[in-house]
């Protein structure tokens, strides 16, 4: 069993570099399916688990991939005939695997993809993905745990979304690039990762307009080709480092952070008394010993990111008074708070609202990460706590952070990651004596 062990109470200081965006890399990897000529070269690709899972899925589909970790470059070649099936073994590991549905349908005219499994932070239904493919002319059926879709050709149309789903917007965009005529996505997601996907698709020969706004229009083309593209820095990782500095009353320069991508977080940090200084190489975050309470609600971009909610609640619990967090994206994203209760946190949950009383005198305890961002929140609480905190399931952090504890250590944190299973193994010599029973005198 692996654990992250933290001795808290040390303010973070120094510089930390932000990797490329995991949530941008995944759809860009899927977009490579559309390139019938040439190769897609992605730069600044983070070597995190989710990216590796998507890479394995693409190789299963008969796409050749090559990754150089030193230069963070991923080269994808989809020129060969492709398989059109995404099995459960891959989709179960990462729900973003559903992103291959749109490009496979556009490229091969058919797709068979396993229904995604459950998720601890709440349901992520694929109904909007299916709806988008049906609006483009695909015939869909669900059978034996799979979604099966096929079409003679896709036809552009108006697709209004009930909710600005990032994944559905991305899937529809990729499918529509090779549809006949014009596709209009209304109430589209506006995240920076949507803009990234549109930029790559356009470099590949697509005609995508309006990405980053509520209305995206795609003029279909006959085929797409290879291109090279550099991925933006990860705004969630940047936000996590910013909150780590604030939680520990530190002084950290978050290199490569893009202020506009975390404007809602910056506004809340400043409201709570944290100082944010924009610099040429990123953002400098200076904490304060007296934090002002704040009320936060998660919303689709440009609202406060749900992926920063667990980390933000740690800071709110340290504030001098009562703060609230309203979660309007995922219905089960307060699981980390029950773990924080073990660390002396006081709060009440009423529906989608968590009411937190501070300032919390966090005390070290053994806790378990239920998901990627919950794990980050628990580590941040450990950095602020008195005594030793042990975070179980650190592999959850590997999904979206590269060298997470090593970077914290470089900032002065007393932190390590250990495998403790050997501690519980019975000594073989002792086991032999026990099997023989008590010795006779």
């Amino acid at each position: 069993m692996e654990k992250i062990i933290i001795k808290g109470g040390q303010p973070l200081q120094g510089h930390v570099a932000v990797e490329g965006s995991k949530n941008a890399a995944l759809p860009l990897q899927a977009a490579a399916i559309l390139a019938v000529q040439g190769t897609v070269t992605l730069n600044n690709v983070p070597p995190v688990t989710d990216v590796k899972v998507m890479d394995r899925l693409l190789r299963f589909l008969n796409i050749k991939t090559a990754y150089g970790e030193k230069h963070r470059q991923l080269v994808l070649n989809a020129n060969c005939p492709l398989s059109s099936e995404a099995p459960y073994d891959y989709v179960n590991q990462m729900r973003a695997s559903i992103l291959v549905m749109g490009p496979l349908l556009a490229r091969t005219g058919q797709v068979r993809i396993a229904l995604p499994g459950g998720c601890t932070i709440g349901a992520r239904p694929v109904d909007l993905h299916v709806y988008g493919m049906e609006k483009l002319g695909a015939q869909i059926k669900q059978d034996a745990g799979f979604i099966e879709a096929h079409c003679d050709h896709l036809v552009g149309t108006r697709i209004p979304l009930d909710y600005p789903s990032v994944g559905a917007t991305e899937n529809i965009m990729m499918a529509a690039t090779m549809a006949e005529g014009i596709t209009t996505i209304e109430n589209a997601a506006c995240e920076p990762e949507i803009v990234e996907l549109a930029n790559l698709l356009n470099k590949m020969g697509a005609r995508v307009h309006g990405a980053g706004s509520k209305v995206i229009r795609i003029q279909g083309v006959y085929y797409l080709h290879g291109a090279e593209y550099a991925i933006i820095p990860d705004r969630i990782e940047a936000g996590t480092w910013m909150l780590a500095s604030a939680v520990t009353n530190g002084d950290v320069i978050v290199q490569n952070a893009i202020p506009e991508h975390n404007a809602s977080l910056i506004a809340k940090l400043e409201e709570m008394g944290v100082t944010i200084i924009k610099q040429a190489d990123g953002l400098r975050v200076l904490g304060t010993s007296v934090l002002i309470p704040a009320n936060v609600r998660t919303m689709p971009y440009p609202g406060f990111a749900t992926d920063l909610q667990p980390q933000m609640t740690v800071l709110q619990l340290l504030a001098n008074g009562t703060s609230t967090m309203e979660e309007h994206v995922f219905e089960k994203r307060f699981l980390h708070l029950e773990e924080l209760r073990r660390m002396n946190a006081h709060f009440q949950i009423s529906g989608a609202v968590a009411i937190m009383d501070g300032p919390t005198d966090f005390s070290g305890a053994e806790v378990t990460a239920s998901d990627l961002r919950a794990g980050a929140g628990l580590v941040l609480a450990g950095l602020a706590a008195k005594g030793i905190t042990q975070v179980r399931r650190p592999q959850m952090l590997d999904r979206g952070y590269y060298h997470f504890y090593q970077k914290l250590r470089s900032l002065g944190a007393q932190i390590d990651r250990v495998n403790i299973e050997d501690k519980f193994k019975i000594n073989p010599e002792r086991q032999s004596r026990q099997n023989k029973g008590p010795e006779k005198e």
Side-chain angles (χ1 to χ4, degrees):
M1 181 199 310
E2 282 193 302
K3 293 182 180 180
I4 288 180
I5 312 294
I6 310 154
K7 183 178 181 181
Q10 183 69 35
L12 300 183
Q13 293 184 330
H15 300 70
V16 62
V18 177
E19 305 284 343
S21 170
K22 184 261 294 188
N23 288 338
L26 298 174
L28 269 57
Q29 288 174 271
I33 293 170
L34 295 164
V36 297
Q37 294 180 0
T39 60
V40 171
T41 301
L42 302 177
N43 298 310
N44 201 30
V45 179
V48 295
T49 302
D50 279 8
V51 168
K52 294 175 182 178
V53 171
M54 180 66 83
D55 185 71
R56 289 196 291 270
L57 173 56
L58 294 179
R59 284 191 273 120
F60 177 87
L61 297 175
N62 202 32
I63 295 173
K64 298 176 182 178
T65 72
Y67 182 66
E69 186 169 317
K70 181 178 181 180
H71 298 290
R72 304 289 198 270
Q73 185 179 77
L74 177 62
V75 181
L76 306 103
N77 186 327
N79 298 170
C80 296
L82 304 181
S83 169
S84 57
E85 179 169 335
Y88 182 72
D89 285 347
Y90 296 99
V91 180
N92 184 52
Q93 292 182 56
M94 183 184 66
R95 298 184 64 91
S97 300
I98 195 73
L99 291 174
V100 304
M101 181 167 66
L104 275 180
L105 190 60
R107 172 76 182 270
T108 70
Q110 59 184 352
V111 62
R112 186 172 187 264
I113 185 167
L115 283 166
C119 186
T120 59
I121 61 174
R124 297 188 189 183
V126 298
D127 53 345
L128 289 177
H129 299 255
V130 172
Y131 164 74
M133 301 305 112
E134 287 181 325
K135 291 287 286 184
L136 289 169
Q139 297 179 15
I140 310 278
K141 71 173 183 177
Q142 294 187 26
D143 181 56
F146 280 82
I147 301 170
E148 298 182 11
H150 66 90
C151 63
D152 293 329
H153 64 280
L154 298 174
V155 179
T157 186
R158 171 178 168 267
I159 305 178
L161 298 178
D162 292 338
Y163 180 84
S165 163
V166 175
T169 300
E170 291 167 341
N171 240 335
I172 296 167
M173 284 172 61
M174 289 186 280
T177 58
M178 295 175 66
E180 178 184 330
I182 297 175
T183 299
T184 302
I185 307 172
E186 298 176 358
N187 195 28
C190 301
E191 275 76 357
E193 295 79 16
I194 298 292
V195 177
E196 287 290 278
L197 178 58
N199 289 343
L200 173 63
L201 290 172
N202 287 338
K203 291 194 74 172
M204 294 170 65
R207 298 176 181 175
V208 182
H209 306 279
S213 73
K214 286 291 184 182
V215 179
I216 300 175
R217 290 184 174 84
I218 305 104
Q219 170 70 57
V221 298
Y222 289 110
Y223 73 95
L224 274 71
H225 52 73
E228 184 169 356
Y229 193 77
I231 296 172
I232 56 171
D234 194 310
R235 62 191 173 98
I236 304 303
E237 184 191 355
T240 301
W241 299 130
M242 292 165 67
L243 284 161
S245 182
V247 160
T248 63
N249 191 14
D251 181 358
V252 175
I253 296 174
V254 185
Q255 296 173 312
N256 307 326
I258 300 175
E260 294 76 16
H261 290 177
N262 271 318
S264 57
L265 171 62
I266 291 171
K268 285 299 175 182
L269 288 175
E270 291 179 334
E271 180 182 329
M272 297 180 74
V274 178
T275 301
I276 310 292
I277 302 172
K278 296 180 182 179
Q279 301 186 167
D281 59 345
L283 295 171
R284 184 179 179 185
V285 182
L286 296 97
T288 176
S289 58
V290 181
L291 287 161
I292 301 168
N295 301 323
V296 182
R297 60 185 331 199
T298 66
M299 298 291 287
Y301 189 85
F304 194 93
T306 183
D307 281 354
L308 289 173
Q309 184 255 94
Q311 304 92 304
M312 184 65 180
T313 55
V314 175
L315 189 67
Q316 290 175 293
L317 283 164
L318 291 168
N320 190 19
T322 301
S323 298
T324 62
M325 173 63 76
E326 297 182 45
E327 175 56 59
H328 292 285
V329 180
F330 293 118
E331 71 272 19
K332 294 181 181 179
R333 203 152 207 178
F334 289 142
L335 295 177
H336 67 285
L337 284 175
E338 293 303 328
E339 295 297 301
L340 290 177
R341 197 188 296 277
R342 296 169 55 81
M343 299 179 68
N344 203 34
H346 297 280
F347 60 88
Q348 298 177 16
I349 297 176
S350 177
V353 181
I355 305 166
M356 294 161 284
D357 298 320
T360 301
D361 187 16
F362 280 118
S363 59
E366 187 165 4
V367 292
T368 301
S370 56
D371 62 82
L372 165 59
R373 308 305 176 184
L378 294 177
V379 171
L380 264 57
L383 294 173
K386 294 179 180 177
I388 304 296
T389 299
Q390 301 180 55
V391 181
R392 294 188 176 204
R393 300 182 74 203
Q395 65 272 21
M396 300 302 296
L397 289 156
D398 299 335
R399 291 187 51 208
Y401 298 100
Y402 180 67
H403 283 177
F404 189 63
Y405 82 92
Q406 294 95 324
K407 289 184 177 182
L408 284 171
R409 185 188 288 169
S410 74
L411 294 172
Q414 297 185 56
I415 185 171
D416 202 355
R417 179 168 172 168
V418 298
N419 191 329
I420 62 170
E421 65 178 8
D422 290 340
K423 179 179 178 181
F424 298 99
K425 289 181 179 177
I426 297 176
N427 182 284
E429 184 179 347
R430 181 181 178 187
Q431 178 74 60
S432 177
R433 289 199 301 267
Q434 288 175 342
N435 290 341
K436 291 178 181 178
E439 294 181 358
K440 295 181 180 180
E441 293 184 356

Short mmCIF file of all heavy atoms in Angstrom, two decimals, residues 365-390:
data_model
loop_
_atom_site.label_atom_id
_atom_site.label_comp_id
_atom_site.label_asym_id
_atom_site.label_seq_id
_atom_site.Cartn_x
_atom_site.Cartn_y
_atom_site.Cartn_z
N ALA A 365 -3.78 13.26 10.44
CA ALA A 365 -4.55 12.03 10.58
C ALA A 365 -4.32 11.18 9.33
O ALA A 365 -3.71 11.64 8.36
CB ALA A 365 -6.03 12.32 10.76
N GLU A 366 -4.83 9.96 9.36
CA GLU A 366 -4.78 9.11 8.17
C GLU A 366 -6.07 9.27 7.40
O GLU A 366 -7.17 9.09 7.95
CB GLU A 366 -4.57 7.65 8.56
CG GLU A 366 -4.34 6.74 7.35
CD GLU A 366 -3.77 5.39 7.74
OE1 GLU A 366 -3.62 5.12 8.94
OE2 GLU A 366 -3.46 4.60 6.82
N VAL A 367 -5.97 9.62 6.12
CA VAL A 367 -7.13 9.89 5.29
C VAL A 367 -6.96 9.20 3.94
O VAL A 367 -5.86 8.77 3.58
CB VAL A 367 -7.34 11.41 5.08
CG1 VAL A 367 -7.74 12.09 6.38
CG2 VAL A 367 -6.07 12.06 4.53
N THR A 368 -8.05 9.13 3.17
CA THR A 368 -8.04 8.42 1.89
C THR A 368 -8.56 9.30 0.78
O THR A 368 -9.62 9.93 0.91
CB THR A 368 -8.90 7.14 1.97
OG1 THR A 368 -8.41 6.30 3.00
CG2 THR A 368 -8.87 6.38 0.64
N ALA A 369 -7.82 9.36 -0.33
CA ALA A 369 -8.23 10.14 -1.50
C ALA A 369 -9.29 9.37 -2.28
O ALA A 369 -9.05 8.25 -2.72
CB ALA A 369 -7.02 10.42 -2.39
N SER A 370 -10.46 9.97 -2.45
CA SER A 370 -11.54 9.32 -3.20
C SER A 370 -11.43 9.57 -4.69
O SER A 370 -11.95 8.80 -5.50
CB SER A 370 -12.91 9.82 -2.71
OG SER A 370 -12.98 11.24 -2.81
N ASP A 371 -10.74 10.64 -5.07
CA ASP A 371 -10.56 10.96 -6.49
C ASP A 371 -9.36 11.89 -6.63
O ASP A 371 -8.72 12.25 -5.63
CB ASP A 371 -11.83 11.60 -7.09
CG ASP A 371 -12.19 12.92 -6.44
OD1 ASP A 371 -11.58 13.94 -6.82
OD2 ASP A 371 -13.05 12.95 -5.54
N LEU A 372 -9.06 12.26 -7.85
CA LEU A 372 -7.88 13.06 -8.15
C LEU A 372 -7.83 14.36 -7.36
O LEU A 372 -6.86 14.65 -6.65
CB LEU A 372 -7.85 13.34 -9.66
CG LEU A 372 -6.92 14.43 -10.19
CD1 LEU A 372 -5.48 14.13 -9.83
CD2 LEU A 372 -7.10 14.57 -11.70
N ARG A 373 -8.85 15.19 -7.48
CA ARG A 373 -8.81 16.51 -6.85
C ARG A 373 -9.03 16.43 -5.34
O ARG A 373 -8.50 17.27 -4.59
CB ARG A 373 -9.84 17.43 -7.51
CG ARG A 373 -9.74 17.50 -9.03
CD ARG A 373 -8.34 17.88 -9.51
NE ARG A 373 -8.28 17.83 -10.99
CZ ARG A 373 -7.19 18.03 -11.70
NH1 ARG A 373 -6.05 18.30 -11.10
NH2 ARG A 373 -7.22 17.97 -13.02
N ALA A 374 -9.79 15.45 -4.88
CA ALA A 374 -9.92 15.24 -3.44
C ALA A 374 -8.55 14.93 -2.84
O ALA A 374 -8.21 15.42 -1.75
CB ALA A 374 -10.89 14.10 -3.15
N GLY A 375 -7.76 14.12 -3.55
CA GLY A 375 -6.42 13.80 -3.08
C GLY A 375 -5.57 15.04 -2.94
O GLY A 375 -4.83 15.20 -1.95
N ALA A 376 -5.66 15.95 -3.91
CA ALA A 376 -4.91 17.20 -3.83
C ALA A 376 -5.35 18.02 -2.62
O ALA A 376 -4.52 18.60 -1.90
CB ALA A 376 -5.08 18.01 -5.11
N GLY A 377 -6.65 18.07 -2.37
CA GLY A 377 -7.16 18.81 -1.23
C GLY A 377 -6.66 18.24 0.09
O GLY A 377 -6.28 18.99 1.00
N LEU A 378 -6.62 16.91 0.21
CA LEU A 378 -6.15 16.29 1.45
C LEU A 378 -4.67 16.56 1.68
O LEU A 378 -4.24 16.78 2.82
CB LEU A 378 -6.41 14.79 1.40
CG LEU A 378 -7.90 14.37 1.37
CD1 LEU A 378 -8.02 12.86 1.24
CD2 LEU A 378 -8.63 14.87 2.61
N VAL A 379 -3.88 16.56 0.61
CA VAL A 379 -2.46 16.88 0.75
C VAL A 379 -2.30 18.31 1.21
O VAL A 379 -1.48 18.60 2.10
CB VAL A 379 -1.71 16.64 -0.58
CG1 VAL A 379 -0.28 17.19 -0.49
CG2 VAL A 379 -1.67 15.14 -0.90
N LEU A 380 -3.07 19.24 0.65
CA LEU A 380 -2.98 20.64 1.07
C LEU A 380 -3.34 20.79 2.54
O LEU A 380 -2.71 21.56 3.28
CB LEU A 380 -3.89 21.51 0.20
CG LEU A 380 -3.21 22.22 -0.98
CD1 LEU A 380 -2.54 21.24 -1.92
CD2 LEU A 380 -4.23 23.07 -1.74
N ALA A 381 -4.36 20.04 2.99
CA ALA A 381 -4.72 20.10 4.41
C ALA A 381 -3.57 19.57 5.27
O ALA A 381 -3.27 20.12 6.33
CB ALA A 381 -5.99 19.29 4.66
N GLY A 382 -2.90 18.51 4.77
CA GLY A 382 -1.76 17.98 5.50
C GLY A 382 -0.63 18.97 5.61
O GLY A 382 0.09 19.01 6.63
N LEU A 383 -0.44 19.80 4.58
CA LEU A 383 0.61 20.82 4.62
C LEU A 383 0.36 21.85 5.71
O LEU A 383 1.29 22.44 6.27
CB LEU A 383 0.71 21.51 3.27
CG LEU A 383 1.17 20.67 2.08
CD1 LEU A 383 1.04 21.47 0.79
CD2 LEU A 383 2.62 20.20 2.26
N ALA A 384 -0.94 22.10 6.00
CA ALA A 384 -1.31 23.10 7.00
C ALA A 384 -1.48 22.51 8.40
O ALA A 384 -1.62 23.25 9.38
CB ALA A 384 -2.60 23.80 6.57
N ALA A 385 -1.50 21.19 8.51
CA ALA A 385 -1.84 20.53 9.77
C ALA A 385 -0.65 20.44 10.73
O ALA A 385 0.51 20.45 10.32
CB ALA A 385 -2.38 19.13 9.48
N LYS A 386 -0.99 20.30 12.00
CA LYS A 386 0.01 19.98 13.01
C LYS A 386 0.19 18.46 13.04
O LYS A 386 -0.79 17.71 13.02
CB LYS A 386 -0.44 20.48 14.39
CG LYS A 386 -0.51 21.99 14.51
CD LYS A 386 -0.99 22.40 15.90
CE LYS A 386 -1.08 23.93 16.03
NZ LYS A 386 -1.61 24.33 17.36
N GLY A 387 1.42 18.03 13.10
CA GLY A 387 1.67 16.60 13.18
C GLY A 387 1.78 15.95 11.81
O GLY A 387 2.03 16.61 10.80
N ILE A 388 1.55 14.63 11.78
CA ILE A 388 1.77 13.82 10.58
C ILE A 388 0.43 13.46 9.93
O ILE A 388 -0.49 12.98 10.61
CB ILE A 388 2.53 12.52 10.92
CG1 ILE A 388 3.86 12.84 11.61
CG2 ILE A 388 2.75 11.69 9.65
CD1 ILE A 388 4.83 13.60 10.75
N THR A 389 0.33 13.71 8.64
CA THR A 389 -0.84 13.30 7.85
C THR A 389 -0.41 12.21 6.88
O THR A 389 0.64 12.31 6.24
CB THR A 389 -1.42 14.49 7.07
OG1 THR A 389 -1.85 15.49 7.99
CG2 THR A 389 -2.60 14.06 6.21
N GLN A 390 -1.24 11.17 6.77
CA GLN A 390 -0.99 10.10 5.82
C GLN A 390 -2.15 10.04 4.85
O GLN A 390 -3.30 9.87 5.26
CB GLN A 390 -0.86 8.75 6.55
CG GLN A 390 0.25 8.71 7.58
CD GLN A 390 0.33 7.35 8.26
OE1 GLN A 390 0.46 6.33 7.59
NE2 GLN A 390 0.26 7.33 9.58
#
